[in-house]
Amino acid sequence: MYKPPLSQAQLNRTPITSERTVLSKIYAIAKKAGHHNLAKLMTCAVILLPANLAFSAPTYLGSSASAETDSAKFTQKVNIILAQESTQVPLSIRYGGTEARGGFVLMQLTVPNRDTTQPAYGGKLRLYDIHLAKMFETSQFLCQQSRGVSGYEWVYSAGNGSIRMGNFRISCSLASETASTYGLGKPERTSIARDTEGGPPESDVYSIPILDITGSKVQQWINFVQNFKPCNINTRFC
């Protein structure tokens, strides 16, 4: 028999009493974070189902534990796991539409944040550090696809393009050396916009491996970024 799904309001106030309700709540929470995939939902289910039954046990035993409290704990755990699973931060990448000097291809990386010194994942890494990592990851990937280029020059802008952060020139040799130093982890879906002659812009989507900046390599990357300076922000090219 068909049973209509619970509304968000019902999910937030209904005691979690079965596996089916648990999965429904996971789906409802993760649906709001649309970039998370089914694998992450299943991870949440496997990790949280035993814990959720533990939350609900006092209710079965007739204690005065609040169902709303149980539900809030459950929601918090799902959100924490989803946040930890995601390595992506808001940004857009597009081809610069021209070639910079010396065989370097011009790229643009634009972010919505005005303050790029904010922590990226609640740890040491700042948004600025992550944005630079994305430039290196993408440069390394594109260098492997296009052997004839010397590297990529990135026009980095914050505040949706209103704040010039400078141009960063990354040679293919430096991108390759950086990938070897830190190692490459799981691929991340990356959209790169490109202009079309006389038509609307189009985007190509690639699976680009991310740098494995973990453990002791976090401070190493921070030190590297601090010494990797942009070109003169007042000039068009480096």
Side-chain angles (χ1 to χ4, degrees), residues 13-207:
R13 67 171 180 267
T14 301
I16 303 169
T17 57
S18 70
E19 291 85 345
R20 182 173 181 176
T21 305
V22 171
L23 293 176
S24 296
K25 189 165 180 66
I26 290 173
Y27 175 78
I29 295 169
K31 187 176 181 182
K32 295 190 294 183
H35 59 281
H36 296 290
N37 57 30
L38 181 60
K40 293 174 184 175
L41 299 184
M42 293 302 99
T43 300
C44 290
V46 170
I47 294 175
L48 294 177
L49 183 56
N52 175 65
L53 294 178
F55 284 152
S56 302
T59 303
Y60 298 141
L61 298 175
S63 73
S64 58
S66 165
E68 286 78 6
T69 301
D70 289 347
S71 181
K73 291 179 180 178
F74 176 80
T75 301
Q76 183 183 34
K77 282 182 174 287
V78 172
N79 288 334
I80 289 173
I81 288 177
L82 289 176
Q84 290 174 339
E85 284 291 316
S86 175
T87 59
Q88 293 181 316
V89 295
L91 56 82
S92 64
I93 297 174
R94 67 181 302 117
Y95 288 105
T98 184
E99 185 173 296
R101 293 192 296 262
F104 281 72
V105 178
L106 198 64
M107 303 290 291
Q108 298 175 359
L109 186 143
T110 306
V111 302
N113 319 86
R114 296 188 64 85
D115 181 6
T116 59
T117 64
Q118 294 178 344
Y121 309 120
K124 288 185 176 181
L125 290 173
R126 305 163 300 168
L127 289 171
Y128 184 87
D129 302 319
I130 301 304
H131 297 158
L132 266 292
K134 192 65 179 179
M135 295 180 205
F136 273 86
E137 294 157 1
T138 306
S139 297
Q140 161 68 4
F141 178 84
L142 294 178
C143 283
Q144 292 182 325
Q145 307 300 311
S146 304
R147 299 290 184 178
V149 302
S150 301
Y152 293 85
E153 183 174 322
W154 291 84
V155 180
Y156 177 25
S157 301
N160 287 320
S162 63
I163 303 173
R164 287 286 305 277
M165 303 293 289
N167 289 22
F168 293 81
R169 179 168 280 203
I170 302 174
S171 66
C172 287
S173 59
L174 178 59
S176 178
E177 179 184 340
T178 304
S180 297
T181 299
Y182 292 88
L184 296 174
K186 64 181 181 180
E188 185 175 86
R189 285 175 59 84
T190 302
S191 176
I192 302 179
R194 54 185 172 83
D195 293 326
T196 57
E197 294 184 7
E202 296 181 355
S203 295
D204 296 317
V205 180
Y206 305 96
S207 292

Side-chain angles (χ1 to χ4, degrees), residues 210-226:
I210 64 174
L211 292 173
D212 184 23
I213 305 174
T214 56
S216 60
K217 290 183 286 188
V218 169
Q219 188 59 51
Q220 183 181 356
W221 179 252
I222 292 173
N223 295 339
F224 172 78
V225 167
Q226 288 176 345

Side-chain angles (χ1 to χ4, degrees), residues 5-17:
L6 296 175
S7 67
Q8 185 61 47
Q10 288 174 313
L11 284 169
N12 287 338
R13 67 171 180 267
T14 301
I16 303 169
T17 57

